[in-house]
Amino acid sequence: MSSPRPCSIAATLAVVGEKYSLLVLREVFYGVCRFDGMVRNIGAPRDILAARLRKLVDAGVLERVQYSERPPRFEYHATEAGLELRGVLHLLRQWGDQHLMDVAPVTFEHSCGADLETVPTCRSCGAEPAVGELRARFASPEWTAQGRTVD
């Protein structure tokens, strides 16, 4: 059996690809950083939510910050790596608003006053890539877009 394609998407999904993991990040980005608030807003079973929080902390996406000594209580805050996932959540929200919802449950207003629309752009020229303008370049010569070249 050959090994699967090396893939950053697969590696990312191993960390944040579960529904409740992404919903934890949503809550942290809304400012809900305590376990009980997350349970209330997400609706996840407490044991599953605790497991997702541990996984996100272990992966360096969130950090536990103690806010009470007696009894010991913690909040969860996004790390730099966690903050970099905001754009991913905005894109998922936009897709859901467009394809799954009759009315967008929430919109985000930028400080300029316009509603936020997240659009992928080229870091170099600032253009939004059109279909057909992107080409995959693989780090390993064993792989192409069609798959492994050597078995």
Side-chain angles (χ1 to χ4, degrees), residues 10-87:
T12 302
L13 289 174
V15 175
V16 299
E18 297 159 322
K19 170 185 168 181
Y20 293 128
S21 296
L22 291 172
L23 295 179
V24 162
L25 290 171
R26 176 197 68 190
E27 291 303 311
V28 169
F29 295 150
Y30 283 165
V32 179
C33 298
R34 295 183 180 175
F35 185 80
D36 287 339
M38 290 180 192
V39 168
R40 181 179 57 251
N41 295 341
I42 294 172
R46 295 176 78 82
D47 59 330
I48 291 176
L49 186 59
R52 297 304 179 268
L53 284 165
R54 273 192 303 277
K55 186 173 186 178
L56 291 169
V57 168
D58 290 347
V61 175
L62 296 178
E63 62 182 340
R64 277 175 36 130
V65 177
Q66 189 168 4
Y67 69 88
S68 172
E69 288 188 29
R70 295 187 141 223
R73 302 231 186 249
F74 296 87
E75 292 182 331
Y76 296 87
H77 297 248
T79 63
E80 281 298 314
L83 290 172
E84 291 174 6
L85 289 165
R86 287 178 299 185

Side-chain angles (χ1 to χ4, degrees), residues 119-129 133:
V119 178
T121 58
C122 174
R123 189 179 305 200
S124 177
C125 71
E128 181 181 352
E133 290 184 344

